Amino acid sequence: MPFIAEKATFWLINKTKDINKIVNGYDKFVKLRNDDTVFLATPIYAEQYGNNSHIAYTRADGSRFLKSYGSRAWRKNNPGNIIFAHQKQAIGRGTRFAVFPTEDIGMSVLRDLLASDAYRNHTIASAIRKYAPASDNNNPERYARALANSMGISINTRIRDLSDRQLEQLANEIKRIEGWTPGTEREL
């Protein structure tokens, strides 16, 4: 049985023949070091860099890259613009919003949030009033209608009644409405 140590969001995994099962879908981030230790090359830390248009990411090996411009959601790998709430997958925060290591991880957090007890019993309309409240300068009614219309469902559909495919579609539509727009990325 391989040993797995976790510190913040950095996982160190001893070499094994069945590495893909250990990293549960994160195999595209796996790198093998010279000492036969496998680690995830996913960023482990993120911070604001200069003004609000830049986020600097640091990988486990100390290398860094910068995401600039584009939308806030893109720069923070946070397709749903989820507010930072000490999510275990978050590697930083910029203003109020969580920063995730990758877009895939950010999407996973969004899907998990929608399927959680906090949202699953809500209708699309009531979920969006909670998720994107008017007090945050959103228009929850228009947001909910846009989601429902794009999916061909009613705003009164409960999240728990969505199939896995529809939940994925809901997360992708939230990403679109939140304005996911790629910017530039470069090594530092």
Side-chain angles (χ1 to χ4, degrees), residues 41-113:
T42 306
I44 61 167
Y45 179 74
E47 61 188 334
Q48 205 75 30
Y49 187 89
N51 64 32
N52 286 338
S53 298
H54 312 281
I55 300 284
Y57 289 83
T58 304
R59 298 182 190 98
D61 65 2
S63 63
R64 299 178 74 209
F65 67 96
L66 187 68
K67 290 182 88 167
S68 299
Y69 309 109
S71 65
R72 172 182 57 216
W74 177 81
R75 287 189 310 273
K76 297 177 184 203
N77 291 317
N78 186 344
N81 280 324
I82 298 169
I83 294 173
F84 179 77
H86 302 281
Q87 294 92 345
K88 70 178 181 175
Q89 303 92 331
I91 59 171
R93 69 185 282 179
T95 60
R96 298 175 35 209
F97 300 93
V99 179
F100 297 109
T102 66
E103 176 187 353
D104 289 342
I105 292 171
M107 281 299 285
S108 176
V109 171
L110 175 57
R111 283 189 306 273
D112 290 349
L113 177 64

Side-chain angles (χ1 to χ4, degrees), residues 1-63:
M1 184 78 145
F3 171 74
I4 301 175
E6 181 175 338
K7 181 177 182 183
T9 55
F10 172 64
W11 297 269
L12 185 64
I13 306 167
N14 284 347
K15 186 177 180 184
T16 177
K17 293 178 185 172
D18 204 7
I19 191 65
N20 290 339
K21 285 185 181 177
I22 293 172
V23 297
N24 296 324
Y26 294 100
D27 54 297
K28 67 182 172 182
F29 303 113
V30 171
K31 303 289 181 195
L32 182 61
R33 294 193 318 208
N34 290 337
D35 63 0
D36 288 336
T37 302
V38 176
F39 71 97
L40 294 179
T42 306
I44 61 167
Y45 179 74
E47 61 188 334
Q48 205 75 30
Y49 187 89
N51 64 32
N52 286 338
S53 298
H54 312 281
I55 300 284
Y57 289 83
T58 304
R59 298 182 190 98
D61 65 2
S63 63

Side-chain angles (χ1 to χ4, degrees), residues 119 122-136 138-141 143-144 155-156:
Y119 286 93
H122 283 271
T123 64
I124 298 292
S126 65
I128 294 305
R129 280 193 300 273
K130 179 178 179 178
Y131 183 84
S135 60
D136 283 352
N138 294 300
N139 184 330
E141 288 73 29
Y143 197 134
I155 61 171
N156 296 314

Side-chain angles (χ1 to χ4, degrees), residues 107-181:
M107 281 299 285
S108 176
V109 171
L110 175 57
R111 283 189 306 273
D112 290 349
L113 177 64
L114 294 169
S116 75
D117 289 342
Y119 286 93
R120 64 180 269 93
N121 292 317
H122 283 271
T123 64
I124 298 292
S126 65
I128 294 305
R129 280 193 300 273
K130 179 178 179 178
Y131 183 84
S135 60
D136 283 352
N137 295 319
N138 294 300
N139 184 330
E141 288 73 29
R142 184 174 62 207
Y143 197 134
R145 277 194 311 274
L147 286 173
N149 289 341
S150 70
M151 295 177 64
I153 60 175
S154 164
I155 61 171
N156 296 314
T157 302
R158 294 202 179 274
I159 305 265
R160 70 174 179 230
D161 294 333
L162 299 176
S163 67
D164 289 343
R165 184 188 60 74
Q166 288 174 311
L167 189 63
E168 180 75 24
Q169 185 180 3
L170 179 63
N172 281 315
E173 286 300 314
I174 288 173
K175 174 183 171 181
R176 182 186 62 77
I177 291 170
E178 290 292 331
W180 182 276
T181 305

